[in-house]
Amino acid sequence: MHVTGIIAEYNPFHCGHQYQIRRIREAIPESAIIAIMSGSFCQRGQAAMLDKWTRAELAVREGCDLVLELPFVFACRSAQDFARGGIRLLQRLSIVHTLAFGAETDCLTDLQKAAAAIDTTPVQNGIHKKIAAGCSYAAALSGELAERCRLSPLLLRQPNNILAIEYLRALSDTPSIQPLLIQRQGAAYHDNDLHACRASASAIRTALHRASVLAAQTEGSLLISQMSAAQCRAIQNAVPSEVWQRIEALNKNELPAYDRFLIPLQLLMIRSELSELRKTYGIREGLEYHIKSAVLAASHTENILRSAATKRYPRSRIQRLLLYLLLGLSEKTIHDMDEYGPLYARVLAGNATGRKILRNMRAISSIPTVTKTSSFLTSRQRSEGQQHLLPLQRQLSIDTMATELRNLLLSGGPFRNDFQQSPRFFPE
């Protein structure tokens, strides 16, 4: 069986994702499709709009055969680490032949040229110089590649192209998986214009967040009651019908509210010594002082992001850092997880073809398949502390804590958690 892998967030699943799946089916009609999907939090540190099981179920209904979770320690990281974690997971399944990914360009050669240049000594030296001068890693990387490879700076600044380059960089160590580039359709990644042709996921999230703020101030419960008819039509045109039905039913208690992070963060800053904060992954160069000051002075979580973000430390990095602080993720923990790589294939949803894929995976994969969390980790074992857990259990425990952290951002229930929720399988 030929298997194509996708690495995605589906936050939410929209017509661009549907287009990608259709193009895979056209290019490789006999292929099954596995999606490696971020869980409760996404790559830029945002809580997913819908829980991971709902997003996985919608992805299966829209054409994926099997959806697996990318562990938090890779999903909520830089583009490089996100891509590398996803590729390593696909490689360890031992059944994937192709990686399909989107970019703003259809020129695979340009992207491969950039990917091949990243780890050369001149480019690495140039990146370090730019970072020392105050650039973020992303700005330093795109600037250096534009200079060295004579590629368009615009090409290298677009998020989907950056991620595509990182996929190709990671694939250089995985010759058994071949790339399939699919040029993106619709609005750009960061385009917040809801009325653009095929609104982006970012525009949809922004509109729903604004609706949830308005709903909290009124007696209305459904989010669509706080949006204009034109806004509703724009979202409906940008997502498949089943996704729209789920969005249509969303109420104000079902979207994560980031201000619920504020008091736990402030309490953490009050009780934590600076020496403890410095152990957190991503805190360096005196950033602990800046973070502590920003958190304690904030009246809303958004204030922290605006105050702490700089050219060197962009908003997405600060957003991820707040999660690392709340989850207690140290530099050593992340270093260890990078050394181990993904240690399991966590199943979220699938169909009949997905069941066949699972049977093949169990026969030849180098990592175990997780369909029931308690078979590998119980809540009591997690409570005993990380130091008593095996590496697989530690990685899985972080996923379970991330799920429960996202639940804390919700004001309604009931909440799904990793110890009780099983994957759902649907007929094709």
Side-chain angles (χ1 to χ4, degrees):
M1 177 189 296
H2 187 282
V3 177
T4 298
I6 300 171
I7 303 170
E9 297 190 312
Y10 297 149
N11 187 36
F13 192 103
H14 55 67
C15 289
H17 300 127
Q18 192 180 50
Y19 171 79
Q20 182 186 50
I21 290 172
R22 185 169 70 248
R23 286 295 307 276
I24 293 169
R25 300 288 187 200
E26 291 169 356
I28 317 171
E30 74 279 12
S31 186
I33 297 175
I34 293 179
I36 304 295
M37 190 188 78
S38 54
S40 297
F41 290 88
C42 296
Q43 188 262 324
R44 299 176 68 81
Q46 298 167 314
M49 194 180 84
L50 301 172
D51 72 56
K52 59 192 179 185
W53 294 283
T54 300
R55 284 162 36 239
E57 290 161 10
L58 289 169
V60 170
R61 291 184 182 279
E62 295 300 333
C64 292
D65 295 305
L66 186 67
V67 181
L68 307 177
E69 180 176 0
L70 180 62
F72 176 91
V73 292
F74 308 108
C76 196
R77 297 280 296 282
S78 68
Q80 176 186 351
D81 296 313
F82 176 89
R84 185 165 50 194
I87 297 294
R88 291 176 79 184
L89 178 50
L90 287 172
Q91 185 269 330
R92 290 180 178 186
L93 300 181
S94 303
I95 60 166
V96 177
H97 306 88
T98 303
L99 172 73
F101 57 92
E104 309 299 339
T105 177
D106 62 355
C107 185
L108 181 62
T109 304
D110 281 351
L111 298 176
Q112 288 174 322
K113 183 179 179 181
I118 293 177
D119 293 309
T120 61
T121 300
V123 169
Q124 284 297 309
N125 288 342
I127 290 171
H128 293 316
K129 286 179 182 177
K130 284 182 169 61
I131 290 174
C135 290
S136 67
Y137 173 78
L141 175 63
S142 59
E144 195 63 25
L145 288 176
E147 293 170 19
R148 302 278 180 179
C149 301
R150 298 184 180 180
L151 296 172
S152 163
L154 178 61
L155 174 82
L156 298 164
R157 282 198 297 266
Q158 294 171 309
N160 285 292
N161 290 348
I162 294 169
L163 202 49
I165 290 167
E166 293 295 353
Y167 288 144
L168 292 167
R169 182 184 181 188
L171 282 176
S172 65
D173 296 324
T174 314
S176 61
I177 300 177
Q178 296 300 306
L180 174 62
L181 173 62
I182 298 172
Q183 187 173 18
R184 287 185 73 256
Q185 303 289 307
Y189 181 90
H190 284 309
D191 190 344
N192 279 324
D193 182 2
L194 189 62
H195 303 289
C197 175
R198 296 294 192 196
S200 69
S202 179
I204 295 168
R205 291 194 301 269
T206 299
L208 291 171
H209 173 71
R210 288 172 180 163
S212 71
V213 172
L214 292 173
Q217 300 167 356
T218 66
E219 294 183 2
S221 178
L222 290 178
L223 298 188
I224 62 166
S225 67
Q226 305 300 323
M227 295 190 289
S228 68
Q231 287 176 313
C232 290
R233 280 197 302 273
I235 295 176
Q236 190 172 7
N237 289 337
V239 299
S241 59
E242 293 221 27
V243 179
W244 168 246
Q245 289 170 20
R246 183 67 187 90
I247 290 174
E248 199 176 20
L250 277 175
N251 67 56
K252 61 187 178 184
N253 297 323
E254 292 184 273
L255 281 192
Y258 285 96
D259 276 348
R260 294 172 74 93
F261 268 160
L262 184 60
I263 291 177
L265 279 167
Q266 290 178 325
L267 178 59
L268 181 64
M269 293 302 106
I270 290 169
R271 61 176 287 274
S272 297
E273 298 177 4
L274 289 170
S275 59
E276 285 300 308
L277 295 180
R278 289 186 195 108
K279 295 177 183 177
T280 303
Y281 176 69
I283 288 190
R284 54 178 65 91
E285 301 171 340
L287 188 57
E288 66 274 14
Y289 295 98
H290 196 39
I291 291 290
K292 188 164 190 172
S293 174
V295 169
L296 292 177
S299 55
H300 298 280
T301 304
E302 179 63 24
N303 299 148
I304 303 172
L305 299 174
R306 289 179 179 174
S307 175
T310 64
K311 184 178 178 182
R312 177 72 176 272
Y313 296 101
R315 179 189 177 96
S316 58
R317 186 165 174 179
I318 299 298
Q319 203 157 241
R320 290 192 295 262
L321 182 54
L322 298 181
L323 297 179
Y324 304 153
L325 284 164
L326 289 168
L327 293 170
L329 298 185
S330 68
E331 194 81 36
K332 183 181 185 309
T333 296
I334 298 297
H335 176 269
D336 288 347
M337 291 301 148
D338 283 342
E339 288 291 311
Y340 299 136
L343 294 172
Y344 48 83
R346 174 75 187 282
V347 182
L348 296 177
N351 59 21
T353 298
R355 287 187 184 277
K356 295 176 185 176
I357 296 171
L358 281 176
R359 284 197 291 271
N360 292 342
M361 280 169 46
R362 288 182 174 124
I364 62 175
S365 174
S366 63
I367 54 176
T369 300
V370 177
T371 54
K372 186 177 181 182
T373 301
S374 58
S375 297
F376 295 85
L377 174 76
T378 65
S379 56
R380 179 166 182 172
Q381 286 174 319
R382 192 185 75 177
S383 299
E384 294 294 334
Q386 294 277 310
Q387 68 274 19
H388 300 293
L389 301 178
L390 297 170
L392 183 152
Q393 293 175 312
R394 288 166 56 199
Q395 195 170 106
L396 188 55
S397 74
I398 295 168
D399 289 349
T400 67
M401 290 190 293
T403 298
E404 290 167 38
L405 179 60
R406 181 186 176 277
N407 286 346
L408 291 177
L409 300 181
L410 307 175
S411 54
F415 305 127
R416 297 206 264 190
N417 71 64
D418 295 280
F419 295 105
Q420 297 174 327
Q421 183 65 42
S422 298
R424 289 187 65 189
F425 285 86
F426 302 88
E428 294 185 35

